[in-house]
Amino acid sequence: MIRRHPWIIPASFLALPILVYFTFVILPTLNSLYYSFTDWVGYGADFNFVGLANFEKIFTDRLFSNAIKNTAIWFLLAIFAPTLLGLTLALALQGKRKINTLYKSLFYLPICLSPIIIGIIWVWLYSPKLGIVNIFLRSVGLDQFATAWLANPNTALFAVFVAWAWQQTGLNMVIFLAGLTSVPTPLVEAAKVDGANYWQTLIKVIIPMLRPATVVVLALTAISALKSFEIIWVMTMGGPFNKSDTLAVFMYSESFRKFKMGYGSSAAVILFLMTLVIIMFYFRFAARAEELYD
Amino acid sequence: MTSAPAPIPDRQCPRGAPLPPRRRGSRRHRPAEGERFSRAHWRRLLGTALLYFVLTIMLILFMTPVYGAIVTAFKSQAEVSAGGYWTIPTRFAAENFERVLDPEDGNLGLYLQNSLLLTIPASLFSIALGTLAGYGLGKYSFKGDGLLFILIVAGMFLPPQIALIPVFRLMNDIGLYDTLWAVIIIHTAFGIPICTLVMRNFFQVVPNALREAALIDGANEYSIFFRIMLPLTLPALAVLATLQFTWIWNDFLWPFILTQRAESRTVMVGILNLTGQYTVDWGGQAAASLIGSLPTLFIFVFFQRYFIRGLTLGAVKG
């Protein structure tokens, strides 16, 4: 493709997709920015331009700082837990044994389930009297740890996070497994011949070769952590006492429950800016990740 | 002993192929003398056993939620209220499924139908538009093509929250609020980035010689696209179809925001509503969850290869 073409031909292929993409993705994104400077309530056509008032207000809003705190906890847990677990599973299951195929399939089965359904199922698991988590704790004599996981302000956020990580781990495992297939076998063999044990090979050869996959996993996990709404909504609706209220839940509640659409838009804009940082980080490092896409 | 990698005994035969005659009668392939009982051999065996022991424990923990949903769905209400939530049902009961599918009760049939009427067109439209854009970007070069590609692909990472309020308003203004069309359009648009990425990468590796040969034969650009390129894209289309179907079927946020009446309710919104109606009826919730997951489980079982390829290719929205 060295030769350049008259622009009309590629344009004829690109016009319709770009029109749809622009109208329903780019335009609304820019519009959100606009609404964040207004006091629109969600219905009717009249609203006022209020400048930066929404942003001034949001940074003094106790609920917002609470949501930011919960999002930060969620985000940090997300960066480590499902990533390391996914990597461990991928390393353990990368061999060609028949049984590995079965194990892999079962570990990534949660990917094909809706967060709604995952939430519903995990609510039963955490049920105070009948949930299997407490049944198990009681059966091994750890009664003092049994609690109403989703109603206890100290555990709610973490309990929901575990349900979310249940799905994310499988996805990360799949991407790491794809990354592992691109680690050249001769390299690993050479390390073994040179007398490296498994851990040395892992740290010095395999992990560095997994860099592209790691970039993808971290970016996807980070973005998915920031925007996860459904599973929290199903399991706790952000409660109790807003203890599991993340930025995505806060944005929804303010806009669609309290009908403060202008104010909600400013929360959405802040969420978007956080995502933008991750996207920029991703494109900065993704050049090295190119081979994963081929 | 340790310097050279020990030959791994080959116990596998091609499936269905008859065993070579000289092996008949011998139960196991015999490793080289002295190797079988060496310390290194036992250590490796012990390591493998330990690894699979730990993996199996993890798998059991991992599968507990799925197990719980399945056994609860097939249990009669009488048995559930007797306290047996996590036990295997004494007899398989279909009553939960009947209840949630009953139009007078759970009405899940209507929601399933709505979800199909939404997911199939939205998947098709997004793939069609992504194929056009992917071809335009993959096979032609023009000024600003790189920037355009990045702008489109970046959409893959956009949190839906940023567009929620303006789309809600837009759909109200154009009179599509509370119709399946609103959700179809939005999923089509939000599917364009991933479909464009996959198709552009696909078209980039299609040899240019194919196009040039056709050009010399007098074909125009459009007949090349429709007659030569499109038939080649089937594997990529299969990847995208599994991906888009799963993602759109499972989505909750957009239909939750853009629809209201039962007539336009999708299955995930419907199931969440049912949990409000069936607060303590775990059997009903479990049956609804299983029914709602059937289409994506079907893809998982029969098209797993394409689905996994999609997840790792475009590396997707979670």
Side-chain angles (χ1 to χ4, degrees):
Chain A
M1 204 106 26
I2 303 107
R3 194 156 46 92
R4 292 200 175 244
H5 300 270
W7 64 273
I8 189 83
I9 293 167
S12 64
F13 285 107
L14 284 159
L16 190 58
I18 288 178
L19 181 74
V20 174
Y21 180 69
F22 183 79
T23 315
F24 295 101
V25 179
I26 301 291
L27 213 58
T29 302
L30 298 175
N31 245 335
S32 231
L33 203 64
Y34 170 71
Y35 285 130
S36 71
F37 297 116
T38 72
D39 61 358
W40 193 46
V41 291
Y43 40 84
D46 39 300
F47 48 79
N48 306 306
F49 192 78
V50 295
L52 285 169
N54 284 331
F55 290 95
E56 276 164 22
K57 201 173 129 210
I58 208 166
F59 286 114
T60 57
D61 188 338
R62 206 185 46 78
L63 280 179
F64 176 76
S65 51
N66 169 65
I68 288 286
K69 194 186 100 197
N70 290 334
T71 308
I73 296 173
W74 184 281
F75 186 85
L76 284 176
L77 287 172
I79 288 293
F80 291 105
T83 311
L84 286 176
L85 200 54
L87 176 63
T88 312
L89 286 176
L91 288 169
L93 292 169
Q94 75 175 119
K96 285 218 178 343
R97 286 196 186 88
K98 273 241 166 71
I99 190 169
N100 286 359
T101 317
L102 174 74
Y103 274 51
K104 276 188 278 190
S105 295
L106 290 172
F107 277 116
Y108 57 56
L109 183 130
I111 306 175
C112 72
L113 300 177
S114 169
I116 295 300
I117 284 164
I118 293 176
I120 291 173
I121 300 176
W122 279 81
V123 167
W124 312 329
L125 268 88
Y126 287 131
S127 162
K129 281 210 177 67
L130 304 163
I132 200 147
V133 176
N134 283 352
I135 291 178
F136 174 78
L137 287 174
R138 286 193 203 101
S139 73
V140 295
L142 293 168
D143 299 51
Q144 72 268 32
F145 292 110
T147 176
W149 296 95
L150 296 173
N152 182 339
N154 297 321
T155 56
L157 183 69
F158 301 97
V160 179
F161 175 79
V162 170
W164 177 82
W166 183 64
Q167 184 175 42
Q168 193 70 31
T169 298
L171 179 63
N172 291 350
M173 181 192 76
V174 168
I175 299 171
F176 277 127
L177 277 169
L180 280 171
T181 58
S182 68
V183 176
T185 325
L187 211 64
V188 179
E189 295 294 328
K192 275 190 194 143
V193 170
D194 288 346
N197 65 28
Y198 180 74
W199 293 109
Q200 289 167 329
T201 318
L202 183 68
I203 306 279
K204 295 268 165 63
V205 181
I206 299 176
I207 302 270
M209 292 296 288
L210 277 179
R211 206 185 111 124
T214 312
V215 171
V216 174
V217 164
L218 284 178
L220 286 180
T221 311
I223 288 166
S224 150
L226 282 183
K227 70 182 183 190
S228 52
F229 161 79
E230 281 126 317
I231 198 156
I232 305 174
W233 192 249
V234 177
M235 294 180 73
T236 62
M237 288 179 134
F241 312 116
N242 300 310
K243 280 291 185 183
S244 57
D245 197 7
T246 63
L247 196 48
V249 177
F250 173 85
M251 183 263 153
Y252 174 80
S253 310
E254 294 296 319
S255 321
F256 291 93
R257 307 252 291 177
K258 303 182 186 163
F259 291 105
K260 296 194 277 184
M261 297 264 179
Y263 192 55
S265 292
S266 58
V269 168
I270 291 167
L271 182 66
F272 169 71
L273 291 178
M274 290 161 99
T275 319
L276 209 60
V277 173
I278 300 168
I279 298 176
M280 277 152 69
F281 163 86
Y282 173 75
F283 277 113
R284 165 79 179 72
F285 289 97
R288 297 278 299 272
E290 271 291 295
E291 61 253 47
L292 201 72
Y293 286 142
D294 292 335
Chain B
M1 188 76 249
T2 47
S3 61
I8 297 157
D10 178 19
R11 291 198 204 114
Q12 285 177 334
C13 312
R15 193 183 269 207
L19 285 169
R22 62 187 169 79
R23 270 207 196 166
R24 196 173 294 159
S26 79
R27 289 223 180 99
R28 194 179 280 179
H29 176 78
R30 240 174 254 281
E33 201 59 46
E35 186 206 331
R36 195 166 158 201
F37 299 106
S38 75
R39 190 173 288 176
H41 178 76
W42 281 111
R43 211 163 58 197
R44 209 167 50 221
L45 208 67
L46 194 70
T48 312
L50 201 68
L51 173 71
Y52 280 92
F53 177 71
V54 173
L55 278 173
T56 308
I57 301 265
M58 281 178 73
L59 190 67
I60 290 171
L61 287 177
F62 226 75
M63 284 296 109
T64 306
V66 177
Y67 163 83
I70 294 170
V71 294
T72 314
F74 288 102
K75 221 175 276 178
S76 68
Q77 263 182 318
E79 204 183 335
V80 171
S81 37
Y85 279 90
W86 302 94
T87 51
I88 290 171
T90 49
R91 72 177 174 86
F92 279 87
E95 56 175 77
N96 295 319
F97 293 92
E98 285 161 14
R99 197 164 62 253
V100 295
L101 286 169
D102 182 358
E104 303 295 314
D105 198 336
N107 205 9
L108 211 60
L110 174 69
Y111 308 150
L112 283 170
Q113 187 191 326
N114 283 340
S115 270
L116 276 178
L117 286 175
L118 151 73
T119 307
I120 292 173
S123 305
L124 288 178
F125 294 157
S126 60
I127 294 171
L129 292 178
T131 306
L132 286 174
Y135 188 72
L137 287 165
K139 273 278 163 269
Y140 299 99
S141 80
F142 50 91
K143 210 173 169 192
D145 52 358
L147 182 68
L148 186 62
F149 176 64
I150 290 208
L151 270 179
I152 294 180
V153 171
M156 212 164 71
F157 303 107
L158 272 189
Q161 281 85 2
I162 188 70
L164 224 47
I165 291 170
V167 166
F168 169 76
R169 174 143 205 238
L170 179 68
M171 291 305 172
N172 265 305
D173 287 350
I174 59 180
L176 289 178
Y177 176 73
D178 204 12
T179 66
L180 286 176
W181 278 109
V183 194
I184 292 174
I185 290 173
I186 217 64
H187 272 306
T188 302
F190 272 78
I192 288 175
I194 176 83
C195 295
T196 305
L197 172 67
V198 170
M199 295 315 287
R200 176 233 185 217
N201 288 357
F202 178 85
F203 283 123
Q204 266 189 338
V205 295
V206 173
N208 275 326
L210 220 60
R211 230 185 111 244
E212 272 143 28
L215 277 177
I216 291 164
D217 287 347
N220 72 32
E221 300 281 351
Y222 303 102
S223 62
I224 291 173
F225 175 69
F226 284 106
R227 308 255 296 273
I228 297 170
M229 295 296 181
L230 268 192
L232 290 175
T233 60
L234 274 174
L237 294 185
V239 166
L240 283 175
T242 57
L243 219 56
Q244 284 298 91
F245 187 95
T246 305
W247 153 243
I248 298 171
W249 181 272
N250 284 342
D251 181 51
F252 168 79
L253 189 54
W254 284 116
F256 183 52
I257 296 291
L258 296 176
T259 62
Q260 209 168 25
R261 293 165 306 144
E263 288 77 41
S264 48
R265 196 172 288 160
T266 64
V267 75
M268 291 309 153
V269 181
I271 289 174
L272 188 62
N273 272 16
L274 281 187
T275 61
Q277 184 184 330
Y278 297 167
T279 22
V280 289
D281 176 5
W282 287 13
Q285 293 185 18
S289 300
L290 276 195
I291 296 174
S293 306
L294 276 183
T296 52
L297 284 174
F298 178 83
I299 287 178
F300 171 78
V301 172
F302 293 103
F303 299 99
Q304 198 179 91
R305 206 161 53 90
Y306 295 108
F307 184 63
I308 296 302
R309 207 167 147 59
L311 287 180
T312 49
L313 256 174
V316 157
K317 37 207 162 188

